Amino acid sequence: MANSVTQSILVVGGGMAGMSAALEAAEAGYDVILVEKNPYLGGRVAQLNKYFPKLCPPYCGLEINFRRMKQNPKLRFFTMAEVVKVSGQEGDFDVNIRINPRYVNEKCTACGECAKACTVEIDDPFNYGLNKTKAAYLPHDLAYPYRYVIDPALVKSGDAQKVKDACPYGAIELDMAAQDVNLKVGAIIWATGWDPYDVSKLDLYGGGSYANVITNVQMERLASGNGPTEGKILRPSDQQAPQNVAFIQCAGSRDENHLRLLQRHLLPGVPEASPLTCANNTRTARSDHLLHRHPGHGRAWRTSTPWSRSRRGRRVRERQEWPASRKTAGEQEPGAGGARTRPPARSCRRPRSTWRSWPRACSPPPAKPPCPLPWLLTTTALWPATPACPEWSAPAASEHPWV
Amino acid sequence: MDKKLAVYICTGCGIGDTLNIEALGNVATKEYKAPICKTSEALCSPEGAALIKQDVESGEANTLVICACSPRVMTDVFDFQDCIVERTNIREQVVWCLDPNEELDDPKEDIQMMAEDYLKMSIKKTQRRWICRNRIHRKKKSPTGHPGRWAAVSPV
């Protein structure tokens, strides 16, 4: 980008990857514009129950990024926006962005009066259509930006004026139109993510014909506390707890009839493997607490070393604290606080005196019995010659010098 | 630079319906002797923000306690330079999460007490804080010496 006309960067996609890229670039000093299609940032990660690798709720990591975004004046973002056209070349791109109408302006305080007044319902896109939501809705509980959205279906219906009058802050603009923005950027980061596979194409497994055949992303929403069932795993058909659950791994990604495009998208160069879905299903099974919350429906297992059995866990348990420094008390600088109060650091190995070369299960080898005689007397070579016993022929002295 | 405390209470989003705003204001003015205590129908609206801005620009206030929504939201609206800004979350953490019809001895009074406690905590917190410019506008030195993520943050 040394010879570029402009140094600003466009990031397409406001998911975890796009946000991270945009933040890193903005914190390194570039002007960054982030474009997100959804009315909220966070993308697919926001829709998960728990995410890799720590299996913590997604907002644990997203909030950190949101906070960094709020503090950084170099980063601007557009939600409900899509890239229409890109032209130009590296260092000098012309980008045309369309910002779709939200019908709610920045005066919105998310008080929820519009949702109370609204009677039109739509499939909740955040929950992959597992439930219905009002057409004037907050994308989800912790959405950022924390602002309501009005679905175009409501604007066309007769309910629209009633909803607009319900807003005490004048935040609803029913005549909001799509807006075109032209930008000049030097580089583009494409982080548009992925779409879940259409389950109705998997007719072999009854996808689309049975309500209870769901995708793993829908499973995430079922397991999530802010999902349609408030974290209970319930069958979509009758809202009862399932007796058995089967996970079909790589159901879409390995299907050669449908998925040439997706395969290439996920794993370039690897035509018939999808570790993403396999790993993801294992994660789903673990993190959803499907197995933990419903004992008897399956086996729960864990793959990592338990904390209590690990070296580090034992060290922390023995010392009852987190090791702040590897130095012992004597090696600490005199000004360093805490060294006197903290016990000296110990090795987690057992002391050398307790080391044994034999296995633990068997007993130690028997000790030699102490010799009652001084060494000189046990040396038979020095004994005086004894007369040969007539009943017992002694061996020749040359053959057995010691006896 | 002296701290000039000003307390602003929002009555929108159901706060005014649930809480006794006058009593809440009295905590600030009587107990903590705040010289300025103002209420607004919607502090985050342009009029509400102008109310605060007016006091800041006239030099009457530089320590702002804003009793309204969560600091997660409306961050850009309540961003005042050279001021200590403390957001007291009486919307999400008090009004929206407590039900006045709950089976308590005196739910109304309990909710009021909780809001007053949050206000007291915020005022106390501002009294303990030093006046400094907003964090983003200070040049930070990275602890490792590598410029890293702070390289771009320039003083304004």
Side-chain angles (χ1 to χ4, degrees), chain A residues 77 93 212 223 240 326 359 383:
Chain A
F77 66 88
F93 287 112
N212 289 345
Q240 296 299 311
R326 279 166 188 261
W383 287 359

Side-chain angles (χ1 to χ4, degrees), chain A residues 353-373:
Chain A
S353 59
T354 64
W355 290 10
R356 291 178 296 189
S357 54
W358 59 90
R360 277 199 181 184
C362 73
S363 54
K368 273 186 181 171
C371 181
L373 295 171

Side-chain angles (χ1 to χ4, degrees), chain A residues 124-266:
Chain A
D124 192 347
F126 188 75
N127 289 336
Y128 299 102
L130 283 170
N131 64 339
K132 295 272 183 189
T133 181
K134 295 283 179 70
Y137 61 102
L138 196 63
H140 62 275
D141 289 349
L142 288 165
Y144 176 72
Y146 197 54
R147 217 183 282 164
Y148 271 67
V149 190
I150 288 183
D151 196 80
L154 173 66
V155 178
K156 288 179 201 130
S157 74
D159 234 11
Q161 195 57 39
K162 201 175 74 184
V163 171
K164 185 181 174 176
D165 295 340
C167 180
Y169 304 104
I172 295 176
E173 289 179 26
L174 294 175
D175 51 353
M176 201 182 265
Q179 204 180 340
D180 274 0
V181 179
N182 289 307
L183 297 171
K184 243 184 167 16
V185 292
I188 299 176
I189 298 175
W190 205 256
T192 48
W194 49 276
D195 278 324
Y197 189 62
D198 182 6
V199 74
S200 63
K201 284 188 189 163
L202 298 169
D203 44 2
L204 181 66
Y205 304 123
S209 46
Y210 298 113
N212 289 345
V213 177
I214 60 171
T215 56
N216 59 345
V217 282
Q218 288 175 321
M219 182 76 184
E220 288 288 336
R221 293 315 303 148
L222 288 181
S224 182
N226 62 355
T229 55
E230 296 173 343
K232 296 186 205 76
I233 308 288
L234 301 178
R235 291 191 294 228
S237 61
D238 54 0
Q239 300 296 313
Q240 296 299 311
Q243 295 302 307
N244 295 297
V245 179
F247 283 86
I248 301 174
Q249 307 211 340
C250 310
S253 61
R254 281 196 168 180
D255 194 334
E256 290 194 352
N257 298 322
H258 307 296
L259 263 189
R260 277 284 157 224
L261 192 69
L262 182 65
Q263 271 170 17
R264 244 181 296 139
H265 184 63
L266 281 176

